Amino acid sequence: MSAQPDLLYSEEEEALRAAVRDLLTDHCDPAGVIARTESDTPHDLPLWKTLAGSMGLAGLLVPESLGGQGATHREAAVVLEELGRAVAPVPYLTSAVVATEALLACGADDLLTELASATTVAALAVGLHVAPEGAVPHVRLENGALRGELTGIADAAVADVLLVPADDGGLYAVRTADAAVTVTPQVSLDLTRPVARVRLDGAAGPRLGDAGPAVRRALRSGAGLLASEQLGLADWLLTETVRYLKERKQFNRQVGGFQALKHRLARLWLEVAGLRAAARNAADALVTGGDTDVAVAVAQAYAAHVAVRAAEEALQLHGGIGMTWEHPVHLYLKRAKADSIAYGTPGAHREALAEAVDLRTP
């Protein structure tokens, strides 16, 4: 009989949350995020340097022997909740979680040390839409050089190293400074996590290990911890909507006092509470290894709906001001929509869940 998952936050996790939230409050205000989405540099690299360097969050999952913090997915989940609450335009999920997991699977100690020291940003060159069990696009290996094109690579624009799957079954580390590497921005719904097209015209790099297990481990961790980011999004949207409805008056009374709106908020609160349980369960399973595939599939099958509905409700219940560009709710709606297909759609995760628990369709 497996041990029961621990869904509660420890004192250390709450302390980490407070530190990250304080930093984001000071350095990642909504107006600043909106301004960045209108610029040519949507990523907030100064914020990333502070998070990764000063706080050591880039190496949270990296062993202490390699210069990291030696923490677990539970702590990383707390960080992602807070980054989700702020819609922070930093490559934490892609570099400190997904790429790091791939490197851990390959035993690439040198690169892990670079990531932990915050001197290097890495990105797994697999489309953001690919599910853990999905087919992974790859490039060709010809005479020791990599050739081909990969699309939808999240945060490739700020990556120093790309982890590229090749047709020989290997995972290769390619430096973006290589003249044979071209990174071209693509149109992205979520301007705070832009995607790009990567073209390799004879790029070279060391073979780190087998791509199959490394990519699957990376995508599974990405999908599982993405639920914590979606939790942070939904929680902020619910909290801000409640606050706004307490302040907004109509017919000389608080809008939040109308019974119909109370019912909508109560339903949303229940869904967010359910999402918190699912996200915490996924993070805990990634640590303990207990029914991990099931926990991740459950979290992602549920999280997308809740995050998107929270954003839609916030947009409607904020009324006219919610429709404006100056109000940040559109950032959350776009992130929630983009997250709903990241690392697999809810449908793909439901199919994976049915397979895992032997409930296949006839």
Side-chain angles (χ1 to χ4, degrees):
M1 182 175 178
S2 61
Q4 293 296 316
D6 183 3
L7 306 185
L8 302 179
Y9 299 97
S10 67
E11 291 184 7
E12 292 78 9
E13 289 165 357
E14 291 292 2
L16 175 62
R17 178 196 307 283
V20 175
R21 185 175 295 187
D22 286 347
L23 188 146
L24 292 173
T25 299
D26 293 338
H27 299 284
C28 190
D29 62 292
V33 177
I34 292 173
R36 284 198 169 275
T37 65
E38 298 173 326
S39 72
D40 295 330
T41 56
H43 290 96
D44 192 340
L45 292 182
L47 173 62
W48 169 247
K49 290 297 183 184
T50 303
L51 287 167
S54 302
M55 297 192 68
L57 299 184
L60 210 57
L61 298 179
V62 178
E64 290 183 76
S65 59
L66 299 177
Q69 304 299 316
T72 71
H73 299 83
R74 291 175 59 92
E75 288 80 17
V78 170
V79 173
L80 280 165
E81 283 183 38
E82 294 307 310
L83 294 177
R85 286 179 62 88
V87 203
V90 295
Y92 183 83
L93 179 62
T94 50
S95 182
V97 175
V98 176
T100 296
E101 287 282 2
L103 293 173
L104 286 169
C106 294
D109 292 356
D110 291 344
L111 273 175
L112 285 168
T113 300
E114 289 185 38
L115 263 62
S117 65
T119 58
T120 298
V121 174
L124 182 65
V126 174
L128 186 60
H129 64 285
V130 177
E133 302 294 340
V136 177
H138 54 258
V139 298
R140 304 182 308 278
L141 180 66
E142 300 176 352
N143 300 320
L146 299 169
R147 299 182 183 278
E149 186 174 274
L150 298 164
T151 61
I153 312 303
D155 295 331
V158 291
D160 303 297
V161 176
L162 296 172
L163 309 181
V164 183
D167 58 2
D168 71 332
L171 187 68
Y172 292 81
V174 176
R175 300 278 174 174
T176 54
D178 189 330
V181 179
T182 304
V183 178
T184 307
Q186 292 180 283
V187 176
S188 176
L189 173 63
D190 179 11
L191 300 177
T192 63
R193 181 177 285 147
V195 297
R197 176 184 294 105
V198 173
R199 182 167 184 81
L200 306 177
D201 294 304
R207 190 183 196 274
L208 303 174
D210 294 335
V215 171
R216 185 179 184 279
R217 171 176 170 172
L219 296 182
R220 186 178 67 174
S221 295
L225 294 186
L226 177 65
S228 292
E229 178 183 288
Q230 291 165 305
L231 169 61
L233 288 170
D235 188 61
W236 184 91
L237 289 160
L238 174 61
T239 301
E240 283 301 303
T241 302
V242 170
R243 182 193 61 77
Y244 176 76
L245 293 181
K246 286 181 178 180
E247 296 177 353
R248 181 79 167 88
K249 289 188 177 181
Q250 193 176 62
F251 306 119
N252 204 31
R253 62 177 293 188
Q254 290 179 338
V255 173
F258 292 104
Q259 194 72 16
L261 299 189
K262 287 182 179 180
H263 287 167
R264 289 172 66 173
L265 292 171
R267 285 196 299 270
L268 185 58
W269 184 89
L270 289 173
E271 292 184 354
V272 173
L275 172 54
R276 177 170 285 105
R280 292 300 293 167
N281 182 47
D284 189 71
L286 286 167
V287 177
T288 62
D291 292 330
T292 307
D293 291 339
V294 171
V296 170
V298 167
Q300 273 308 308
Y302 185 64
H305 161 75
V306 177
V308 171
R309 208 177 86 77
E312 291 174 344
E313 287 285 78
L315 184 67
Q316 290 185 17
L317 296 179
H318 273 81
I321 192 173
M323 297 289 184
T324 64
W325 183 260
E326 289 76 13
H327 196 280
V329 71
H330 67 90
L331 295 175
Y332 291 82
L333 177 59
K334 293 168 184 173
R335 173 67 71 87
K337 282 286 191 180
D339 280 356
S340 70
I341 60 172
Y343 305 118
T345 63
H349 287 288
R350 283 192 287 270
E351 290 179 5
L353 176 60
E355 183 76 20
V357 300
D358 199 24
L359 286 176
R360 303 174 186 85
T361 57

